[in-house]
């Protein structure tokens, strides 16, 4: 009986090829849109994880907070002003205490110079970020040398520089030839000891557009001799103790700066929290976009039901003849239900193939990643659409009285 129903369904579909193709379009578009959008969402999440991973693992960054003014309450100013003290080398060194901060692996002080231009011969490059730091910074931020080496303890106070890949490419076609050469940074001569391996762009920021010099050298050449730091890079011992490391760090700095959690004069950026927030936002947007794409599936299902109702009307006499020669109500229901199911499943398969094809292209620098569970879900959804939206037309056909169907013109 099932084989006979499939044969009747296929002959009915083949008899109206163009109509059948147009009926499946709604299913094709909906399935392909859902697969593509979910693939883009997965690709975006992977890209975010990769970009944050490039900046170092288990990293916490301490920055000086921007001072805020008092807040008026009941006509009088209240003492809610955030203090505006500086981060210092002493602050950084205090975080290396293994007793007070057992979950912190290492730290590095950072000073940042503004408007630094590198020059070599006739080539120049305006560096986005010129940092003065210590050797531990490279391990914290996962920077490695593609040519030469990174800074070491013997470089303290020396006019040496490690160039980021974007800077090096602008100064020389072969970046390896820069090692040992003298470049000018704001008209001061520095010896290039290394060129960093490329990390790739990260959104609007380019982590490779950087130059790094010893911290005391930066203070003497660019920022002035001061104990003030731009930030402190901190690496926790593992991803599992990020929260504990942050709490230990805040307790130490709160005591040193004599502040409370409400009046802190510094800010902490936790990369694990940044990753979690970014991933959550991406997932929410993906779900919303997929829900919009799902509307086309609903429209496609309605299209299937509409065409099946037309098919029932066109084949009323056929239904009457089949019932007159012994076809049961179940035979008629199965015939039209199988036809609806075949149309929907074929549309689902075509939508899956189209979704795979679309996911092979990059969207705004994002490489989509198709997840196999979305494929099986798409097959199930397309089959479900065929069953749900085919039940009413099939029942309508089965309820026809043979004598009325045979008289139908």
């Amino acid at each position: 009986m099932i084989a006979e129903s499939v044969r009747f369904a296929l002959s009915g579909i083949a008899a109206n090829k163009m109509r059948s193709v147009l009926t499946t379009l709604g299913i094709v578009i909906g399935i392909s849109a859902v697969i593509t959008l979910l693939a883009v969402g997965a690709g975006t999440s992977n890209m975010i994880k990769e970009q944050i991973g490039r900046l170092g693992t288990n990293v916490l960054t301490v920055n000086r907070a921007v001072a805020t003014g008092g807040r008026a309450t009941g006509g009088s100013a209240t003492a809610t002003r955030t203090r505006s003290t500086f981060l210092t080398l002493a602050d950084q060194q205090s975080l290396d205490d293994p007793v007070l901060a057992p979950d912190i692996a290492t730290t590095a002080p950072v000073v940042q110079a503004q408007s630094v231009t590198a020059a070599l011969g006739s080539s120049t490059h305006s560096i986005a970020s010129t940092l003065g730091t210590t050797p531990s910074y490279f391990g914290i931020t996962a920077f490695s040398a593609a040519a030469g080496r990174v800074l070491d303890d013997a470089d303290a106070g020396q006019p040496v520089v490690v160039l980021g890949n974007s800077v090096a490419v602008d100064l020389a076609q072969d970046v390896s030839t820069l090692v040992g050469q003298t470049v000018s940074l704001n008209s001061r001569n520095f010896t290039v000891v290394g060129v960093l391996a490329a990390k790739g762009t990260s959104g609007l920021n380019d982590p490779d557009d950087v130059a790094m010099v010893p911290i005391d050298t930066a203070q003497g050449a660019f920022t002035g001799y001061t104990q003030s730091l731009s930030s402190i890079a901190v690496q926790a011992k593992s991803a599992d103790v990020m929260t504990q490391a942050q709490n230990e760090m805040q307790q130490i700095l709160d005591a040193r700066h004599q502040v409370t959690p409400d009046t802190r004069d510094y800010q902490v950026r936790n990369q694990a929290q940044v990753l979690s927030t970014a991933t959550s936002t991406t997932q929410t947007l993906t779900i919303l976009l997929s829900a919009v794409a799902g509307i086309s599936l609903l429209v496609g299902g309605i299209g299937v039901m509409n065409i099946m109702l037309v098919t029932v009307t066109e084949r009323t006499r056929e239904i009457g003849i089949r019932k007159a020669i012994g076809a049961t109500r179940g035979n008629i229901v199965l015939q039209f239900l199988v036809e609806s199911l075949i149309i929907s499943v074929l549309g689902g398969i075509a939508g899956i193939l189209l979704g795979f094809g679309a996911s092979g292209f990059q969207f705004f620098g994002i490489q989509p990643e198709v997840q196999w569970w979305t494929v099986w879900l798409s097959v199930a959804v397309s089959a479900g659409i065929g069953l749900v939206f085919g039940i009413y037309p099939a029942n309508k056909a089965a309820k026809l009285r043979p004598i009325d169907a045979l008289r139908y013109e």
Side-chain angles (χ1 to χ4, degrees), residues 116-119 127 129-132 138 145 147-152 155 157-164 167-168 171 178-185 188-196 210-214 217-218 222:
V116 176
T117 300
I127 305 173
S129 182
T130 304
L131 305 179
F138 295 89
R149 60 177 177 83
V150 297
L151 299 177
D152 58 30
D155 293 322
Q158 300 300 312
V160 295
V161 63
V162 177
L163 299 177
V167 182
L171 296 180
L178 285 172
V179 178
Q181 292 197 49
T182 299
V183 299
S184 172
L185 300 181
R188 293 175 179 266
N189 291 332
F190 283 78
T191 301
V192 178
V193 296
V195 176
L196 297 174
V210 64
M212 300 182 188
V213 301
T217 302
F222 306 121

Side-chain angles (χ1 to χ4, degrees), residues 179-259:
V179 178
Q181 292 197 49
T182 299
V183 299
S184 172
L185 300 181
N186 283 4
S187 301
R188 293 175 179 266
N189 291 332
F190 283 78
T191 301
V192 178
V193 296
V195 176
L196 297 174
K199 287 192 172 187
T201 58
S202 176
L204 298 177
N205 299 318
D206 183 2
D208 297 321
D209 194 356
V210 64
M212 300 182 188
V213 301
I215 186 169
D216 41 5
T217 302
Q219 291 171 330
F222 306 121
T223 65
Y225 287 103
T226 174
Q227 293 296 310
S228 175
L229 302 179
S230 301
S231 62
I232 302 173
V234 179
Q235 185 177 44
K237 289 187 174 179
S238 71
D240 297 331
V241 296
M242 288 282 283
T243 301
Q244 295 93 311
Q246 180 173 341
N247 291 336
E248 293 161 4
M249 179 176 60
Q250 289 173 331
Q251 289 176 0
I252 294 172
L253 294 179
D254 285 351
R256 287 186 55 82
H257 291 208
Q258 298 181 351
V259 296

